């Protein structure tokens, strides 16, 4: 059991704090938002994560988890300090480390000798060195204070499972003894632990996300080709996935990837490549192809509406960047709805989890149910793969819409059944 501080109680920090407390460590999680801290100490979880409320309650009740305001309050007793602060995408694509720098300067004087600062947030290759430099500048001795990279591989919606049933734990540190100490925090997580140098650990994170994004953009391109040659991309993905070198995961075509990670991390890796003058045209293709896929969905909608969306009542299902999350950050759905509105569509959108004020698009009306969003529309557009869309009653749906026309950008609906019932159905790749 160790004393751990987690700086930043967002998607990554909250899951990291709750899971480390669950593993038996004494955890103090700090955030700058006093209201958020107060709600967290009452067990109120502001994000949509399976299992997280239960773990936070367990931690609070056991006394192994508490939340405080301000990083320096959390540090004095901590042997390990996890940095889980935002690293947003800068204008040039580089990750913005200003939050990291501010926190490191704030905590430097409070760090106890022998403690270890651990970069959990996704940070560019070289960030461990950056944190070491800042600590030195603030007078902390890097002989006494360890620094390690320990990137997160958490998917929103399943972050608790992804932490406790990790496929691997990666620790990047120059000091083997420090690497062992960090690895021991994960006792109880049955996963291979990859101990390597900091740059390799940081690159593992970016290369992993960039590869997953590549799989998605690749399958979106295959889907578009399937449409041109009359193949069914779902059948193609099935036939591909049996090859263990390919696997079945991340072969689902759609409107393009989104979220707070893939777009940011692919841009950051592209920036790293350019700065290192080691260009990466394949990755640029993935990035460009993803934006083109969003625009391709807009073109599909325009074509289905007869060539123009001006004045067309359009029902939209889904605003979050994927199902089982409430997050709309960098959501393809939000981008596509914005483009449809620009072309004059009259849109009513329903999402089971996106907060009512989450999407600020002039002219967008929110509906309280899928059928309400479909009522009287000339075109229905599915943008997120929520299960409730999959199981909607087709008779009720046919009664609700004005015209039986649907663009299913997630291939979640029964194309054959709908077409048999007279729907004009368009998916992606089938
Ligand atoms: C991702 C990585 O999966 C995770 O390992 C990393 O730590 C953070 O970034 P996340 O962004 O939460 O996690 O969601 P993910 O489930 O990976 O989906 C990302 C995007 O890809 C979503 O927009 C999703 O709809 C899309 N996607 C995913 C596809 O279009 N097709 C797929 O087959 C899978």
């Amino acid at each position: 059991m160790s004393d751990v501080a987690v700086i930043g109680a967002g998607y990554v920090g909250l899951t990291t704090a709750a899971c480390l407390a669950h593993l038996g460590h004494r955890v103090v999680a700090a955030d700058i938002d006093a209201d958020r801290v107060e709600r967290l100490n009452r067990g109120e979880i502001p994000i949509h994560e399976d299992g997280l409320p239960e773990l936070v309650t367990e931690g609070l009740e056991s006394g192994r988890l508490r939340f405080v305001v301000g990083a320096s309050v959390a540090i004095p007793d901590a042997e390990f300090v996890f940095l889980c602060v935002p690293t947003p995408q800068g204008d040039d694509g580089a990750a913005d480390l200003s939050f990291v720098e501010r926190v490191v300067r704030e905590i430097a004087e409070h760090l106890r000798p022998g403690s270890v600062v651990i970069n959990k947030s996704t940070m560019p290759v070289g960030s461990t060195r950056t944190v070491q430099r800042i600590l030195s500048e603030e007078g902390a001795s890097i002989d006494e204070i360890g620094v390690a990279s320990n990137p997160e591989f958490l998917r929103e919606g399943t972050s608790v499972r992804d932490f406790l049933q990790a496929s691997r734990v990666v620790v990047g540190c120059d000091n083997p003894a420090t690497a062992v100490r960090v690895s021991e925090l994960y006792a109880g997580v049955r996963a291979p632990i990859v101990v390597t140098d900091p740059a390799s650990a940081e690159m593992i994170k970016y290369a992993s996300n960039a590869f997953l994004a590549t799989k998605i953009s690749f399958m979106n391109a295959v889907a578009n080709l399937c449409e041109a040659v009359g193949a069914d991309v779902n059948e193609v993905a099935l036939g591909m996935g049996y090859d263990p070198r390919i696997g079945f995961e991340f072969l689902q075509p759609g409107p393009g990837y989104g979220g707070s990670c893939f777009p940011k991390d692919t841009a950051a890796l592209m920036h790293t490549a350019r700065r290192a003058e080691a260009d990466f045209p394949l990755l640029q293709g993935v990035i460009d192809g993803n934006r083109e896929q969003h625009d391709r969905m807009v073109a599909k909608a325009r074509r289905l509406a007869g060539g123009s969306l001006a004045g067309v009542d359009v029902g939209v299902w889904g605003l979050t960047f994927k199902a089982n999350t409430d997050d709309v950050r960098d959501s393809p759905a939000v981008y596509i709805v914005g483009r449809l509105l620009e072309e004059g569509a009259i849109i009513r959108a329903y999402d089971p989890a996106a907060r009512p004020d989450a999407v600020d698009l002039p002219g967008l009306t929110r509906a309280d149910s899928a059928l309400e969003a479909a009522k009287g529309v000339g075109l229905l557009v599915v943008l997120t793969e929520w299960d409730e869309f999959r199981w909607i009653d087709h008779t009720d749906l046919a009664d609700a819409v004005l015209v039986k026309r649907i663009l299913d950008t997630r291939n979640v609906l029964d194309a054959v059944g709908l077409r048999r019932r007279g729907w004009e159905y368009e998916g992606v790749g089938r």
Side-chain angles (χ1 to χ4, degrees), residues 15 40 53 90 119 263 290 427:
T15 297
L40 288 169
N119 292 344
N290 193 57

Side-chain angles (χ1 to χ4, degrees), residues 12 49 122 151-158 162 168 205 208-209 212-213 215-217 219-220 248-263 265 290 294 320-323 325 327 330-332 383-385 409-410:
V12 174
E49 283 295 342
T122 302
E152 53 86 10
F153 300 100
L154 309 178
R155 284 167 296 175
E156 283 189 34
T158 59
D162 292 339
R168 77 296 203 189
K205 170 64 185 180
S208 299
N209 266 11
L212 292 169
K215 273 189 99 171
I216 293 165
S217 281
M219 280 315 285
N220 286 337
F248 292 103
E249 299 276 331
F250 280 66
L251 294 183
Q252 180 59 49
Y257 58 75
S260 62
C261 296
F262 284 173
D265 294 351
N290 193 57
H294 297 351
T320 52
F321 80 96
K322 65 173 184 175
T325 180
D327 199 350
D330 248 334
S331 169
L383 293 174
T384 306
E385 71 288 14
T409 73
R410 295 290 189 156

Side-chain angles (χ1 to χ4, degrees), residues 5 29 287:
I287 295 167

